[in-house]
Amino acid sequence: MTANVRTPKKLIEVALPLDAINEAAAREKSIRHGHPSTLHLWWARRPLAAARAVIFAQMVNDPSWKWELEHPGEIPPNNIKASWAASRNRLFAIIKDLVEWENTTNEVVLEKARAEIRKSWRETCDLNKDHPQAAGLFNPERLPAFHDPFAGGGALPLEAQRLGLASYASDLNPVAVLINKATIEIPPKFAGRPPVNPEARTSRDAWSKQWFRAQGLAEDVRYYGRWMRMVAQKRIGHLYPPVEITSDMAKERPDLRPLVGQQLTVIAWLWARTVKSPNPAFRHVDVPLASSFVLSTKTGAEAYVDPVIDKDTYHFAVRSGRAPSQAREGTKFSRGNFRCLLSQAPIDGDYIKAEAKAGRMGERLMAIVAEGRNGRIYLSPSSDQENIASAAHPDWKPDVEFFQQALGFRVGNYGMTKWSDLFTARQLVALTTFTELIAEVRKQIVADAIAAGMIDDQTGLDKGGEGASAYAEAVSVYLAIALSRLTDICNALCRWEVTKTQVRNLFSRQAIPMLWDFAENNVFGGAAGDYIISLGNMVKALEKLPARDPGVSRQQDAQTQSISAGKAISTDPPYYDNIGYADLSDFFYVWLREPLRSIYPGLFATVVTPKAEELVATPARHGGSEAAELFFLGGMTAAMQRLAELAHPSTPVTIYYAFKQSETESDTGTSSTGWETFLDAVIRSGLALTGTWPMRTELGNRMRGQDSNALASSIVMVCRPRPATAETVSRRAFLRELNQVLPEALDEMTRGSGDDRSPVAPVDLSQAIIGPGMAVFSKYAAVLEADGTPMTVQAALRLINRFLAEDDFDHDSQFCLHWFEQYGWKEGRFGEADTLARAKGTSVDGVKQSGVIYASGGIVRLLKWAEYPSDWDPVGDGRLPVWEALHHLIRIFKSEGESGAGNVLAAVAAKAEPARQLAYRLYTLCERAGWAEDARAYNDIITSWSAIESAAAAAPKAQQGNLFG
């Protein structure tokens, strides 16, 4: 397929406006309403902004393509380079518009991007018009389709569809396949159609209203979902009664007096798990395991639970006002350890686990949260409310066992072995009722669709139908997805958020942790946890989907799939052992299977999702860490091999890899078992890297602030198949080529190129340098060590990372740098300083003369920039190491800003470039050491470097003694 293919270099292989992409991706984290991620939860999704930019840049030709094909190996003249830069800036402007959330449905912006993709495609087709398979591979009237073989939450296939490509998604996981069906496959089938429900058909504007994209479908999902909720409330509403405020309740609560006689809607019931007291005197009492008794910390609405003890009994009373310290601690001693409320006897974790596994863990109602006229009302529990909850008995439940050693699962230690164990009886009744109603409402939708004039061909969705039956099934899919979404906030592992005073969902991260006190919401309460709220959030996302161009979602194993043939590929594979997708998604699968098995019998054929073939290194599933690593390496290599063999030859393959923080905090650079194994698989597959881009692509809200010096969360690798004729080279030749390539690459990364080219942030440099380094390594069939064995990826990464540490500074600066690595700003002994100074070709006295260290009484330490003399004159400084120039620059920048720093830079122009490189190096050291304040100082200088250079260019030529006066 690749014979004689001429491939223009793509924009993503040359340049990207990283700042704009990262800024848009970061902003996207805070967008909820209408975002496709709210259709259904999936873990570690890529932001739409990043996905859209990457796919656009891998489809669009770089402006340099034609000249480079016609002048291979030649150095372009400056005027040609300038024209390329101008053309890139035009493409960057398109990307900057494209990544803005507000432009997600802006057809003007989107069509401009699609036009560029079509233009590049026509250029590529023209280049290859004589190819023997040109009719199939290079038809200028038909863009290549797109495929993501690890589709997951569907961000990449969705954005490919938005950019005008026929989009294919595949995944081994049926929940992921369903999400992609709901985003790219179903909406185009019914795009532009009006709703069929009788309310919409009989409305006054029914004859004139236009329905774009999937808006009509969304309106029907909303209508029939409301009907389901109404019927469900009639059937089981007695399990969710309001609470009446009585005069007895108001006696001790003056704040309740205005509400006496009123019936308030309950928002949530707050429960504490219980075990028998370990104290023999109270062995008959179920005591609470409460991590806190605080209900609200909102100013003016503070409330807490007060446990009232009476001999060998207790009850809970809710109090208004600020919680005392003992209330904030609940009955918890430490992680997994509690105290007996009655006797204060310790209750250790092993005892709790034993009691729970023996079936003796229960729960007790601590408080009731109701909706008042002006906000939440917190009420003491009542036996009536507790009895109503215990009276719930589901007709069926998902009694399916989960894998006890799954990644991130903790509940198995506490007697929970089945998915149904994670729900209260009342929650099970509610969820099973909604499940049954999905089947009931489908029949009504068919009837309404036929009444609206839709032909019923009796063909379902799975068989490609588009008539009344298929339409009813499509609506049912979204109703089931809304139910599945509801389970995330309707389970017995949801916590009560005391600051926002609301129920929080289980999956705030990709784990199922144990929760001691939990919140049970009201599925008819009109707040988070109500089915109609879950449905409404999902419908907003459905309305905004592009619903254009064909979309296909299939269940396929990435190791054996053939869907990729002749398609452009961008993919986001599993990250070694970061997330156990299959085990986690079973939480949703067991609820989706019941209502959707008749619609997609093949997709929901198995009781649980496939596990054996899932490419996740789960030690407990594969017999230990080593076996798990080998499994991952073999499977990922096979999957990447499929991409190398099948991808359309005109476009590079882009692959995301997301880092955990622990993978990056290494003295040897960006390194980890997961990263090395993943990269090894990519290279073994026959792919060669042509670039890497550090991007901030994690969609979840992080604990660290967005302005902190946080590492880029992903690397986007740009790959092309390695030629079969690739050579084998020696370690020496590899190092020689690294030394030729990396300095230029590093300079380009840290400076940027062109007016709008974003320099790589210092924190991302150790990731970004992997690109050009591994491009050298991966283009060869093998790099041979001195003993003739192939160099490992780990060894190659170590050599690449080491390059950042080998900057060519003057001797005094080398001494300071290595002293800083060992001691920071702390004191050290003179003997050690003397040894280091000799090794670096200088002396302690000489470094002291340069004014950068304190050395006296056998003690040596580096001076901080604030200790540098304010009357320093660089013109008259006879011994000026780069270290000193940089730290004077920081000192003056902090006090006088870019203008003052520019004056200094103008005076030490010869030291400017080494100073910038040293700042990068010191930033990396500080970040890895956790010295945030120091790291910030170096980062500030680097990010302001262009402005400082501009100020330096405008500064008057410095004369001795008058630089600052």
Side-chain angles (χ1 to χ4, degrees):
M1 185 169 78
T2 57
N4 304 315
V5 171
R6 302 187 72 192
T7 55
K9 187 175 284 187
K10 299 298 180 180
L11 180 64
I12 200 167
E13 296 175 291
V14 179
L16 282 179
L18 274 182
D19 286 349
I21 297 169
N22 285 333
E23 185 179 332
R27 179 171 173 252
E28 197 178 313
K29 296 174 186 178
S30 62
I31 295 167
R32 303 301 300 160
H33 294 305
H35 195 284
S37 64
T38 60
L39 192 78
H40 192 285
L41 183 144
W42 192 258
W43 301 271
R45 287 175 185 261
R46 299 307 100 209
L48 307 185
R52 204 176 304 146
V54 166
I55 294 169
F56 174 81
Q58 81 180 91
M59 298 299 297
V60 170
N61 297 338
D62 183 73
S64 66
W65 74 268
K66 192 171 185 179
W67 193 93
E68 290 191 349
L69 281 176
E70 293 173 352
H71 303 82
E74 294 183 30
I75 298 174
N78 288 336
N79 65 318
I80 295 289
K81 283 185 176 180
S83 71
W84 295 345
S87 296
R88 283 188 196 117
N89 286 342
R90 184 182 63 81
L91 294 175
F92 287 174
I94 293 175
I95 292 176
K96 288 176 180 180
D97 286 340
L98 199 59
V99 297
E100 290 296 326
W101 167 252
E102 290 76 12
N103 291 331
T104 303
T105 58
N106 186 328
E107 280 299 312
V108 175
V109 170
L110 293 170
E111 188 51 39
K112 191 180 291 186
R114 294 174 195 141
E116 283 295 334
I117 292 172
R118 292 193 294 267
K119 174 175 174 285
S120 290
W121 175 241
R122 286 193 296 271
E123 291 170 347
T124 303
C125 291
D126 189 57
L127 265 180
N128 292 280
K129 60 188 176 185
D130 296 326
H131 189 278
Q133 294 174 272
L137 281 178
F138 298 104
N139 181 345
E141 302 304 318
R142 189 178 68 243
L143 287 168
F146 171 90
H147 181 223
D148 178 359
F150 294 100
L156 278 59
L158 176 65
E159 292 312 310
Q161 187 178 65
R162 201 186 308 274
L163 288 171
L165 305 177
S167 190
Y168 288 74
S170 64
D171 203 292
L172 183 65
N173 192 296
V175 177
V177 174
L178 182 72
I179 293 171
N180 281 273
K181 283 182 179 293
T183 52
I184 67 165
E185 184 175 290
I186 296 175
K189 282 180 178 285
F190 305 105
R193 295 192 189 184
V196 303
N197 73 78
E199 184 180 280
R201 282 191 286 119
T202 58
S203 67
R204 290 183 179 180
D205 62 349
W207 65 275
S208 61
K209 186 169 182 179
Q210 288 185 295
W211 299 88
F212 300 101
R213 299 187 299 274
Q215 291 173 348
L217 175 62
E219 184 58 35
D220 277 335
V221 173
R222 185 184 286 114
Y223 174 86
Y224 293 107
R226 284 200 306 259
W227 178 88
M228 281 175 51
R229 183 192 185 276
M230 178 186 68
V231 175
Q233 191 163 18
K234 289 178 181 177
R235 293 181 185 179
I236 62 171
H238 61 280
L239 295 176
Y240 295 88
V243 59
E244 183 175 348
I245 307 300
T246 65
S247 54
D248 286 343
M249 294 165 67
K251 283 179 182 177
E252 295 184 11
R253 290 276 303 277
D255 59 306
L256 297 180
R257 288 172 188 164
L259 301 173
V260 171
Q262 293 186 25
Q263 291 196 335
L264 305 181
T265 299
V266 175
I267 297 299
W269 293 266
L270 308 186
W271 301 83
R273 300 191 197 277
T274 63
V275 293
K276 297 291 183 184
S277 172
N279 187 321
F282 299 98
R283 182 64 180 158
H284 59 291
V285 182
D286 293 306
V287 294
L289 307 175
S291 58
S292 175
F293 286 130
V294 177
L295 300 175
S296 171
T297 59
K298 272 192 172 181
T299 304
E302 295 93 340
Y304 63 97
V305 173
D306 180 17
V308 181
I309 300 170
D310 182 13
K311 297 179 182 178
D312 64 347
T313 64
Y314 67 93
H315 68 273
F316 294 122
V318 170
R319 314 289 187 200
S320 297
R322 189 172 182 179
S325 59
Q326 61 267 30
R328 291 194 290 272
E329 296 165 2
T331 61
K332 197 168 188 177
F333 269 147
S334 59
R335 186 173 182 178
N337 297 287
F338 291 81
R339 59 180 172 83
C340 170
L341 180 65
L342 302 180
S343 67
Q344 305 305 307
I347 308 176
D348 65 35
D350 290 339
Y351 175 83
I352 295 171
K353 290 173 186 174
E355 288 292 289
K357 288 179 179 178
R360 291 191 290 269
M361 179 178 279
E363 57 266 334
R364 183 153 174 180
L365 189 60
M366 285 198 305
I368 299 168
V369 186
E371 189 62 64
R373 217 172 318 169
N374 300 309
R376 305 287 194 246
I377 303 292
Y378 302 93
L379 304 170
S380 300
S382 70
S383 56
D384 287 345
Q385 289 282 342
E386 205 157 1
N387 291 337
I388 289 169
S390 61
H393 298 291
D395 293 333
W396 68 273
K397 53 186 177 179
D399 277 337
V400 179
E401 292 195 356
F402 54 79
F403 183 46
Q404 297 294 303
Q405 287 79 45
L407 295 170
F409 281 40
R410 300 289 180 268
V411 292
N413 294 327
Y414 301 97
M416 301 180 188
T417 60
K418 301 175 181 178
W419 290 113
S420 56
D421 294 337
L422 307 189
F423 302 86
T424 68
R426 179 161 51 188
Q427 289 170 334
L428 289 169
V429 169
L431 294 171
T432 54
T433 298
F434 281 116
T435 300
E436 292 158 1
L437 284 169
I438 293 171
E440 290 182 30
V441 78
R442 192 187 313 165
K443 299 172 185 175
Q444 185 59 49
I445 302 169
V446 172
D448 290 344
I450 293 172
M454 195 177 289
I455 297 171
D456 186 16
D457 56 8
Q458 301 290 316
T459 306
L461 268 182
D462 204 32
K463 300 295 184 183
E466 295 183 11
S469 293
Y471 187 76
E473 289 182 350
V475 175
S476 299
V477 165
Y478 293 102
L479 295 174
I481 287 174
L483 169 65
S484 182
R485 287 181 87 258
L486 182 64
T487 62
D488 185 27
I489 200 169
C490 187
N491 62 76
L493 294 168
C494 292
R495 64 186 176 90
W496 178 252
E497 173 57 68
V498 299
T499 55
K500 295 183 178 179
T501 62
Q502 64 184 32
V503 181
R504 296 304 298 265
N505 61 311
L506 164 60
F507 289 112
S508 57
R509 57 193 180 95
Q510 51 266 18
I512 300 183
M514 185 57 180
L515 201 67
W516 304 107
D517 35 90
F518 65 91
E520 180 188 16
N521 53 35
N522 183 350
V523 295
F524 308 114
D530 187 322
Y531 177 76
I532 207 68
I533 301 296
S534 175
L535 181 86
N537 290 334
M538 186 206 67
V539 167
K540 289 174 185 173
L542 176 56
E543 288 174 325
K544 284 185 173 290
L545 294 177
R548 55 162 291 140
D549 299 299
V552 177
S553 178
R554 294 287 181 266
Q555 185 179 26
Q556 290 281 315
D557 185 344
Q559 300 173 69
T560 57
Q561 60 85 20
S562 57
I563 300 173
S564 290
K567 295 179 178 66
I569 297 167
S570 184
T571 192
D572 180 25
Y575 311 128
Y576 194 65
D577 63 351
N578 285 18
I579 303 171
Y581 295 96
D583 289 309
L584 287 169
S585 63
D586 274 345
F587 177 91
F588 299 114
Y589 181 84
V590 295
W591 290 106
L592 289 165
R593 185 170 184 259
E594 188 67 25
L596 298 183
R597 189 169 26 168
S598 62
I599 298 175
Y600 294 117
L603 192 60
F604 292 97
T606 56
V607 176
V608 292
T609 62
K611 307 289 189 306
E613 302 89 356
E614 184 190 39
L615 290 178
V616 175
T618 308
R621 182 164 277 128
H622 298 290
S625 298
E626 189 174 336
E629 182 180 345
L630 290 173
F631 165 79
F632 181 86
L633 177 60
M636 191 57 72
T637 301
M640 294 296 113
Q641 220 159 17
R642 298 301 290 162
L643 306 190
E645 293 168 358
L646 298 174
H648 197 285
S650 70
T651 59
V653 174
T654 54
I655 306 168
Y656 293 74
Y657 185 88
F659 285 91
K660 293 188 291 189
Q661 193 67 15
S662 59
E663 289 185 297
T664 51
E665 293 175 352
S666 163
D667 290 337
T668 56
T670 301
S671 177
S672 76
T673 301
W675 168 234
E676 289 164 5
T677 307
F678 183 82
L679 198 51
D680 196 5
V682 171
I683 293 171
R684 285 183 185 218
S685 73
L687 289 170
L689 274 71
T690 60
T692 60
W693 298 99
M695 288 189 182
R696 306 186 186 281
T697 61
E698 290 306 303
L699 196 53
N701 290 325
R702 303 185 57 216
M703 297 296 286
R704 295 180 70 180
Q706 289 183 4
D707 293 330
S708 66
N709 294 319
L711 282 143
S713 50
S714 290
I715 278 185
V716 177
M717 294 179 283
V718 186
C719 307
R720 287 189 184 268
R722 184 166 51 249
T725 56
E727 300 175 357
T728 297
V729 298
S730 67
R731 176 190 176 98
R732 179 176 293 178
F734 171 58
L735 282 171
R736 187 164 55 246
E737 191 168 354
L738 277 186
N739 288 328
Q740 291 171 347
V741 169
L742 292 187
E744 184 179 343
L746 183 65
D747 182 68
E748 196 167 304
M749 285 176 188
T750 56
R751 280 188 171 278
S753 175
D755 294 339
D756 284 346
R757 172 84 174 269
S758 308
V760 174
V763 68
D764 298 331
L765 199 59
S766 60
Q767 290 181 2
I769 199 69
I770 292 168
M774 291 309 295
V776 174
F777 179 76
S778 62
K779 75 178 183 180
Y780 294 113
V783 175
L784 300 181
E785 298 279 15
D787 61 0
T789 59
M791 179 182 288
T792 65
V793 166
Q794 183 181 31
L797 280 173
R798 197 176 297 121
L799 291 172
I800 294 164
N801 282 314
R802 200 173 72 187
F803 177 84
L804 287 176
E806 295 180 349
D807 303 292
D808 186 19
F809 302 123
D810 57 80
H811 300 302
D812 288 356
S813 295
Q814 287 185 33
F815 167 87
C816 294
L817 178 58
H818 286 80
W819 185 265
F820 186 75
E821 282 185 282
Q822 187 171 357
Y823 292 105
W825 306 111
K826 296 178 182 177
E827 295 177 346
R829 295 182 178 179
F830 178 86
E832 294 178 16
D834 183 57
T835 301
L836 177 61
R838 291 174 188 274
K840 297 300 176 186
T842 185
S843 66
V844 174
D845 284 342
V847 179
K848 184 178 180 180
Q849 287 174 23
S850 70
V852 296
I853 64 170
Y854 166 87
S856 181
I859 296 297
V860 175
R861 68 173 176 85
L862 289 166
L863 297 175
K864 291 200 75 169
W865 54 80
E867 298 177 273
Y868 281 34
S870 59
D871 59 352
W872 171 72
D873 187 344
V875 179
D877 194 333
R879 183 164 181 153
L880 180 58
V882 172
W883 182 278
E884 182 186 9
L886 171 63
H887 289 87
H888 271 299
L889 196 64
I890 292 172
R891 176 182 63 82
I892 293 166
F893 176 73
K894 283 182 171 293
S895 60
E896 300 179 29
E898 294 164 356
S899 176
N903 288 335
V904 175
L905 198 64
V908 296
K911 309 282 185 183
E913 181 55 25
R916 185 174 64 86
Q917 295 290 352
L918 180 60
Y920 265 93
R921 174 72 181 127
L922 290 172
Y923 174 84
T924 304
L925 282 174
C926 293
E927 176 67 15
R928 290 176 185 163
W931 302 335
E933 184 182 350
D934 295 322
R936 194 175 300 113
Y938 298 120
N939 190 61
D940 288 347
I941 276 287
I942 294 161
T943 54
S944 301
W945 195 264
S946 295
I948 295 171
E949 280 188 320
S950 297
K957 188 173 181 181
Q959 299 295 325
Q960 185 168 352
N962 68 0
L963 182 61
F964 305 109

